[in-house]
Amino acid sequence: MTTPVTWTKRWTFILAAAGSAVGLGNIWKFPYIAGENGGGAFIAVYLLCILAIGIPTMMAEAMLGKAGRANPIVAIRKLSLNDGKSNAWSWLGGLGIVTGIMIIMFYSVVGGWALDYVAQSATGAYANANPELTKANFAALLDSKTTQIIGHTLFILLNVVVIGFGVRRGIGIASEILMPLLILILLVLVGYAAVNGDIQGALAFMFNVDFSALSGEAIIVAMGHAFFTLSIGMGSIMVYGAYMPENACVGRSVLTIAAMDTAIALLAGLAIYPLVLGNGLEPGAGPGLMFETLPLAFGNMPGGLIFGTAFFLLISIAALTSAISLLEPAVAWMEQLCIKRWISTSIIGVIAWVGGLASIYSSDVFNFLDYATANIMLPLGGFIIAIFAGWVLRRVTVRKHLSSISMTTFNTWYIAIRFLAPIGIIVVFINGILGA
Ligand code: PFF
């Protein structure tokens, strides 16, 4: 028997899981879906879902991975059989693998857009930009299938190379440098937007809560995004948890990651909305929002060429560290079937690449993959994880694997995972279906 791989340093789990959580979801997706769904009330529901459902589920996932020490399918089978329960629960791992591959099929297209914007920034394509120019630039990118295919292909290739090199070397290093730099540039952007945009309007848009304007559908999207942004419901965090050293504390790690992830999303909103409102743009502009807005800042600020290039480069790396975690459950599973890491990574890379082409040629495919995974499959996966950790495994088993947290914290978590998370998910779904 070989000893299981563990992260080199204790906090590398935090960095890697934060690398998974922080990605396009925070900076590209959050501002545009919050914009489409009216701002304040949507953001309030999203924050509530992070607290009540997201954090407990993320703890469950990390705990299951750490306890099972294997890819999600094997880890869950092992834990279930140990407690005398059915091995059918391991289907949960299968659902996660499929979900991850479906997400990467549109995620890598947006990753490709980010790469294209690195090139645009470096060549001064939007110097002295105005809203007409930035909108035209994004429209031109959507029109050019070739450019999108080049970006998407490059993005998938980068994934295959990093995953092929293996978990410890590939993922940890990228996250260590990335996160502080990304936060720094976001802070610069927020400062610029506060001075040059409509910060008062933005604050009102983000934090004035009017629940009467919130549809059942918007609540589903807010909850789905809580899953998407924390990378939970499909086994990514479980896989990373499997590489956690024995003495690492699940509770504290998860809280740190969730706090960092939420802070980055809110900072992205504070950078984008003042510029949107100050330049007469639409918060509900859709997937182009970030690409049409931030170039206005970079195109007009001193040193914007360098800042813009660095920003889109960092977004691309953030997207890459998230994408890696989307593919890792599938790769880890194939590896355990004794398929070499390079080969399994390449096979999955090809599947993801073909799916990405479909997303490029059809916005319906793109929207379907995005909607179905974030709003249905991840919450469904999260629901099953909550039931498995809260009701199927024995309490003593779960407590044993969460022994580093205090009894009070454990009891609070246990109530959340048994009741709050599963009931919350069901209520949001029923409310959405009835209200649709
Ligand atoms: N959390 C990532 C983001 O916000 O961009 C996306 C993601 C990664 C979702 C991994 C799900 C996942 F399992």
Side-chain angles (χ1 to χ4, degrees):
M1 282 293 287
T2 50
T3 42
V5 194
T6 51
W7 297 108
T8 36
K9 298 184 198 112
R10 200 143 34 125
W11 42 278
T12 315
F13 167 76
I14 298 191
L15 285 171
S20 165
V22 176
L24 295 168
N26 304 62
I27 299 167
W28 162 71
K29 194 173 177 193
F30 170 72
Y32 99 75
I33 56 172
E36 281 179 340
N37 288 288
F42 176 92
I43 294 178
V45 175
Y46 152 80
L47 292 175
L48 195 69
C49 289
I50 295 268
L51 265 183
I53 303 174
I55 291 175
T57 309
M58 198 178 194
M59 276 177 70
E61 247 195 87
M63 179 273 290
L64 292 174
K66 190 176 165 215
R69 284 265 177 256
N71 70 77
I73 293 185
V74 174
I76 291 186
R77 186 185 307 137
K78 204 153 74 177
L79 291 169
S80 191
L81 292 178
N82 273 352
D83 267 9
K85 301 288 160 51
S86 156
N87 68 5
W89 288 99
S90 60
W91 278 98
L92 170 61
L95 173 73
I97 288 175
V98 174
T99 309
I101 293 175
M102 283 173 69
I103 295 179
I104 197 80
M105 288 174 172
F106 73 91
Y107 202 83
S108 87
V109 174
V110 185
W113 296 350
L115 287 175
D116 181 67
Y117 269 71
V118 175
Q120 285 204 33
S121 312
T123 53
Y126 49 70
N128 307 316
N130 56 35
E132 284 70 41
L133 178 88
T134 58
K135 277 201 238 175
N137 270 1
F138 185 69
L141 172 60
L142 285 191
D143 272 348
S144 168
K145 305 294 179 219
T146 318
T147 315
Q148 290 192 76
I149 291 172
I150 293 172
H152 158 63
T153 308
L154 200 62
F155 190 78
I156 293 277
L157 278 177
L158 286 170
N159 268 287
V160 171
V161 170
V162 178
I163 299 181
F165 268 113
V167 171
R168 278 180 296 176
R169 262 179 303 169
I171 305 166
I173 302 169
S175 316
E176 273 179 43
I177 314 159
L178 163 86
M179 221 61 73
L181 272 180
L182 188 63
I183 293 174
L184 197 73
I185 297 202
L186 272 177
L187 285 173
V188 171
L189 273 176
V190 173
Y192 178 88
V195 175
N196 297 284
D198 177 3
I199 184 73
Q200 238 132 23
L203 288 172
F205 181 74
M206 286 178 75
F207 299 113
N208 279 359
V209 176
D210 172 12
F211 283 116
S212 66
L214 202 63
S215 66
E217 170 69 20
I219 297 176
I220 290 192
V221 176
M223 180 179 75
H225 190 64
F227 279 89
F228 187 87
T229 194
L230 291 179
S231 301
I232 52 177
M234 59 144 282
S236 282
I237 297 299
M238 221 184 285
V239 166
Y240 284 179
Y243 308 123
M244 239 179 167
E246 208 45 61
N247 55 354
C249 173
V250 170
R252 207 155 357 110
S253 306
V254 164
L255 284 181
T256 312
I257 295 158
M260 196 182 329
D261 187 76
T262 309
I264 291 183
L266 293 177
L267 281 179
L270 285 173
I272 288 179
Y273 295 127
L275 295 172
V276 168
L277 300 175
N279 286 285
L281 290 163
E282 252 305 304
L289 188 68
M290 171 182 95
F291 296 101
E292 292 169 359
T293 308
L294 293 183
L296 289 174
F298 296 128
N300 294 293
M301 66 164 61
L305 195 97
I306 294 174
F307 269 120
T309 312
F311 175 81
F312 283 109
L313 198 62
L314 286 170
I315 291 289
S316 305
I317 303 172
L320 186 65
T321 55
S322 301
I324 288 164
S325 75
L326 286 165
L327 297 179
E328 184 63 26
V331 174
W333 173 67
M334 287 173 82
E335 203 174 25
Q336 159 263 323
L337 297 177
C338 294
I339 303 171
K340 282 213 174 65
R341 203 171 169 87
W342 272 108
I343 298 175
S344 47
T345 311
S346 305
I347 294 172
I348 292 163
V350 170
I351 298 173
W353 183 76
V354 173
L357 288 188
S359 296
I360 289 174
Y361 279 97
S362 158
S363 60
D364 285 343
V365 172
F366 184 107
N367 292 335
F368 167 78
L369 290 169
D370 183 2
Y371 192 93
T373 52
N375 302 331
I376 299 168
M377 295 170 80
L378 292 180
L380 180 65
F383 180 80
I384 302 174
I385 288 167
I387 298 294
F388 183 70
W391 296 91
V392 176
L393 290 184
R394 286 182 303 148
R395 190 176 191 278
V396 278
T397 310
V398 176
R399 175 61 183 153
K400 188 176 92 201
H401 294 297
L402 277 177
S403 56
S404 53
I405 56 177
S406 73
M407 203 58 202
T408 319
T409 314
F410 177 79
N411 284 333
T412 314
W413 169 80
Y414 204 54
I415 291 173
I417 206 69
R418 279 166 75 90
F419 301 104
L420 212 53
I423 294 174
I425 295 170
I426 290 179
V427 168
V428 171
F429 271 143
I430 292 179
N431 181 48
I433 292 164
L434 292 183

